[in-house]
């Protein structure tokens, strides 16, 4: 493949301005991430130390193989929810290597309200289990939770994708033969008791670990029985009487040691044979991405410059370079893995939609994973394009995407608006992983467009009612709508709601994709097949 010839001039004022703007966004991201990971009230840290407990990140660090990476997912989940009470949604999720095996690690955070689950905690855990199912990743649960936040029970208990889905997904994993290990460091209460019970292996720490459907206060309130934590659900009882847990551990380090020994007994997965070559770094510095991405979501830039700083050797075989030029398609390698890349260079027209659908089919024919780099305002609208069949052509692209049998990965590089989000593998289209950059914005349309649309609708309503247009009222509506949109469009809001798998530093995109692609190869390819394309 040919090396992309970059046309970037890193000495221009525009490049330097963009670089400063995006470095500031990345710095803000790092600061928020550091706060979410480590800022805790001293009383909670003292409580855990008194109990002889490590912090959850210390547990993960000792569990992982030394010197191996850990790809944390959704580190800023719930960053704008619950008045900041639930940093990282009170849980840690990520992909790492334990005893030489790729695993998904899910850890409760007992430094936040005793590890109680908020609604977004449940959503994050359900998403983690979905990732394990989709990628056939073994799961290690680090359990230490007071159970669900009872004040918010209606938001975390009854519906399909709430608390029960965690245990349903655990059962599906077991049915698939995907292994699970629970390390019980603290309490597993109420529904949380099912996590070790539904795991294939479980280790429980003496003195601090406990598993019960109802703790001593609830048992006394419900039955009048008085019982201690140890007698009700402690390590000795569950490993020698009930058989709910398999191994007692003397302390947390002992539990981690036993857990690593258990994982070492697991067979190594047979990954499907994706095309691979020896990896090599890009020919251009990934840090130059800061200067490529503009300071305004409305400004354009060339996605080839982004691709050149992500793929191996900056080499890229572009498909149909002279056709449908607002969508860049082609083949490259990321950390040695062959991928097909679709990247937006503008709005999707009829030709670019057809090109995208065709390229997706080619990648499926060749069993090549797909990487979508989103910077999309949507599919083109207007009478001329509707007469040409833009809705029909966009539907072809969406059909090809939806029925694709190869793994899909999405990076939100800039804007993601309207149906363009769908055609470029938005959250609803079963991408294995979705990452966003701090500058990213997402919505049904941009703030200005939404404000203009609602203002026009309101003005027409006033005219139909026989009155004159109140310009002051229209202006107030416009400003209110735009401010609300700008707030909801931000990457901080999207990642707080877990609409993605986490914000990443643009310069780390290549590494995040490499880990994600490697993890995805654990799952066998689905059977190919498509629905009806409207011609």
């Amino acid at each position: 493949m040919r090396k992309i010839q970059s046309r970037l001039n890193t000495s221009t004022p525009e490049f330097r301005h963009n670089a400063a703007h995006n470095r500031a966004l990345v710095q803000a991201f790092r600061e928020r991430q550091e706060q979410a990971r480590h800022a805790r009230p001293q009383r909670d840290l003292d409580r855990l130390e008194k109990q002889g407990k490590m912090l959850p990140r210390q547990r993960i660090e000792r569990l992982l193989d030394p010197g191996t990476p850990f790809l944390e997912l959704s580190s800023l989940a719930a960053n704008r929810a619950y008045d900041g009470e639930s940093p990282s949604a009170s849980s840690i999720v990520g992909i790492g290597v334990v005893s030489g095996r790729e695993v998904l690690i899910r850890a409760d955070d007992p430094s936040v309200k005793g590890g109680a689950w908020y609604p977004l905690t449940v959503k994050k855990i359900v998403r983690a289990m979905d990732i394990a199912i989709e990628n056939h990743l073994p799961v290690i649960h680090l359990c230490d939770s007071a159970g669900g936040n009872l004040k918010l029970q209606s938001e975390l208990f009854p519906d399909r994708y709430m608390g029960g889905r965690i245990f349903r997904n655990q059962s599906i994993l077991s049915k698939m033969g995907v292994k699970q290990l629970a390390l019980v460091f603290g309490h597993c209460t109420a529904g949380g008791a099912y996590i070790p019970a539904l795991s294939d292996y479980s280790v429980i720490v003496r003195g601090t670990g406990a598993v019960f459907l109802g703790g001593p206060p609830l048992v006394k309130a419900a039955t009048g029985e008085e019982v201690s934590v140890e007698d009700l659900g402690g390590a000795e009882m569950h490993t020698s009487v009930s058989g709910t847990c398999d191994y007692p551990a003397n302390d947390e380090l002992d539990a981690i040691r036993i857990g690593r020994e258990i994982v070492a007994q697991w067979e190594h997965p047979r990954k499907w044979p994706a095309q691979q070559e020896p990896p090599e770094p890009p020919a251009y510095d990934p840090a130059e991405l800061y200067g490529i991405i503009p300071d305004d979501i409305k400004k354009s830039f060339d996605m080839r410059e982004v691709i050149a700083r992500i793929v191996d050797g900056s080499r890229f075989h572009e498909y149909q370079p002279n056709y449908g030029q607002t969508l860049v398609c082609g083949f490259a390698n990321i950390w040695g893995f062959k991928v097909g890349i679709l990247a937006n260079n503008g709005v999707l027209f009829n030709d670019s939609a057809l090109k995208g659908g065709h390229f997706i089919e080619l990648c499926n024919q060749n069993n090549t994973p797909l990487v979508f780099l989103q910077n999309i305002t949507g599919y083109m609208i207007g009478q001329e394009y509707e007469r040409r069949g833009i809705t029909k052509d966009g539907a072809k692209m969406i059909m090809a995407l939806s029925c694709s049998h190869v793994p899909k990965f999405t990076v939100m590089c800039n804007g993601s608006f309207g149906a363009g989000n769908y055609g470029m593998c938005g959250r609803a289209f079963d991408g294995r992983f979705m990452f966003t950059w701090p500058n990213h914005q997402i919505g049904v349309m941009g703030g200005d467009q939404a404000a203009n649309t609602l203002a026009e609708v309101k003005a027409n309503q006033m005219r139909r009612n026989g009155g004159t247009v109140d310009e002051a009222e229209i202006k107030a509506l416009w400003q209110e709508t735009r401010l609300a949109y700008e707030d909801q469009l931000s990457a901080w809001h999207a990642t707080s709601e877990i609409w993605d798998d986490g914000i990443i530093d643009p310069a780390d995109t290549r590494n995040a994709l490499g880990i994600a692609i490697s993890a995805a190869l654990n799952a066998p390819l689905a059977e190919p097949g498509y629905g009806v394309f409207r011609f």
Side-chain angles (χ1 to χ4, degrees), residues 447 451 476-489:
L477 174 63
W478 190 94
Q479 291 176 332
E480 179 185 353
T481 302
R482 189 180 185 282
L483 285 174
Y485 259 73
E486 289 302 312
D487 181 63
Q488 295 175 9
L489 292 174

Side-chain angles (χ1 to χ4, degrees), residues 127 129-136 176 430-433 520 523:
R127 172 60 185 152
M129 296 297 97
D130 284 341
I131 288 171
I133 290 171
E134 292 164 357
N135 300 288
H136 288 214
M176 294 166 57
D430 299 322
R432 298 293 183 89
F433 295 89

Side-chain angles (χ1 to χ4, degrees), residues 111-129:
S111 70
V112 181
K113 305 292 184 183
W117 291 353
Y118 287 72
L120 283 171
T121 313
V122 171
K123 185 175 183 180
K124 185 171 179 178
I125 298 173
V126 170
R127 172 60 185 152
M129 296 297 97

Side-chain angles (χ1 to χ4, degrees), residues 341-387:
I341 295 176
L342 294 90
N344 301 118
N345 254 9
V347 66
L348 289 169
F349 292 93
N350 299 73
D351 54 0
S352 44
L354 291 172
K355 173 181 172 179
H358 192 174
F359 183 70
I360 290 170
E361 289 184 303
L362 293 177
C363 288
N364 275 264
Q365 181 194 58
N366 199 49
N367 290 335
T368 302
L370 290 160
V371 174
F372 294 83
L373 304 178
Q374 280 207 17
N375 176 33
I376 179 65
T377 56
Y379 290 92
M380 191 62 190
I381 61 174
Q383 180 178 355
E384 177 186 351
Y385 302 100
E386 292 294 352
R387 289 176 66 87

Side-chain angles (χ1 to χ4, degrees), residues 22 25-26 29 412 436-440 490-492 503-506:
N22 286 298
L25 287 178
V26 169
F29 160 60
M412 303 291 208
T436 64
W437 290 355
N439 57 295
H440 164 61
S490 74
W492 314 119
I503 295 176
I504 58 173
D505 182 336

Side-chain angles (χ1 to χ4, degrees), residues 27-302:
Q27 180 62 28
F29 160 60
R30 295 291 188 196
E31 289 172 359
R32 293 185 189 213
Q33 192 177 57
E34 183 73 10
Q35 185 84 1
R37 286 174 170 172
H38 302 296
R40 299 292 185 271
Q42 189 60 45
R43 65 179 182 276
D44 291 321
L45 300 178
D46 293 342
R47 169 175 52 82
L48 294 179
E49 184 178 6
K50 185 177 179 180
Q51 294 171 347
K53 290 182 176 182
M54 290 186 281
L55 293 171
R57 294 182 184 278
Q58 293 173 327
R59 294 166 176 167
I60 292 172
E61 182 180 354
R62 286 160 176 77
L63 179 65
L64 294 169
D65 289 358
T68 59
F70 180 65
L71 177 61
E72 184 174 356
L73 305 175
S74 298
S75 63
L76 294 184
N79 79 91
R80 300 183 66 179
Y82 318 122
D83 295 321
E85 286 185 359
S86 181
S88 291
S90 307
S91 65
I92 303 165
V93 170
I95 296 170
V97 179
V98 176
S99 297
R101 280 83 172 164
E102 283 176 317
V103 298
L104 185 141
I105 298 172
R106 185 207 66 77
D108 297 315
D109 188 346
S111 70
V112 181
K113 305 292 184 183
W117 291 353
Y118 287 72
L120 283 171
T121 313
V122 171
K123 185 175 183 180
K124 185 171 179 178
I125 298 173
V126 170
R127 172 60 185 152
M129 296 297 97
D130 284 341
I131 288 171
I133 290 171
E134 292 164 357
N135 300 288
H136 288 214
L137 279 175
V139 181
I140 301 178
H141 304 271
L142 308 187
C143 304
D144 193 348
S145 171
N149 187 321
L150 296 181
K151 293 180 180 178
L152 301 172
Q153 65 86 25
S154 66
E155 300 175 51
L156 56 82
F157 170 71
D159 208 352
R160 181 177 183 182
Y161 292 101
M162 293 183 179
R165 193 74 175 184
I166 298 170
F167 316 126
R168 176 265 185 193
N169 281 358
Q170 281 193 270
S171 302
I172 295 299
L173 282 168
S174 185
K175 175 183 175 181
M176 294 166 57
V178 179
K179 300 169 183 66
Q180 294 177 79
L181 163 66
L183 302 181
V184 181
F185 296 108
H187 287 190
C188 295
T189 306
Y194 290 114
I195 287 183
L198 287 167
S199 295
D200 306 299
Y201 306 82
S202 60
V203 181
I204 183 169
V205 177
R206 289 187 173 99
T208 58
V211 177
F212 31 57
L213 293 179
L218 181 58
V219 169
K220 183 176 180 180
T223 70
E225 179 185 7
E226 293 191 11
V227 61
S228 69
V229 168
E230 285 300 309
D231 289 338
L232 183 64
E236 295 304 325
M237 192 282 288
H238 276 314
T239 57
S240 64
V241 178
S242 75
T244 299
C245 297
D246 302 318
Y247 304 84
N250 295 324
D251 54 31
E252 296 198 358
L253 287 175
D254 191 36
I256 291 169
R257 177 190 62 78
I258 295 170
R260 287 182 51 81
E261 287 183 1
I262 291 169
V263 176
Q265 313 313 310
W266 296 350
E267 61 184 344
H268 285 279
R270 295 174 182 163
K271 298 189 176 188
W272 63 271
Q275 291 187 68
Q276 286 183 254
E277 297 177 9
E280 60 177 300
Y284 304 104
D285 186 355
E288 292 175 350
L289 289 168
Y290 302 136
I292 294 169
I293 305 304
D295 64 343
D296 187 335
I297 205 80
K298 300 185 186 100
K299 293 180 182 178
S300 62
F301 59 95
D302 189 353

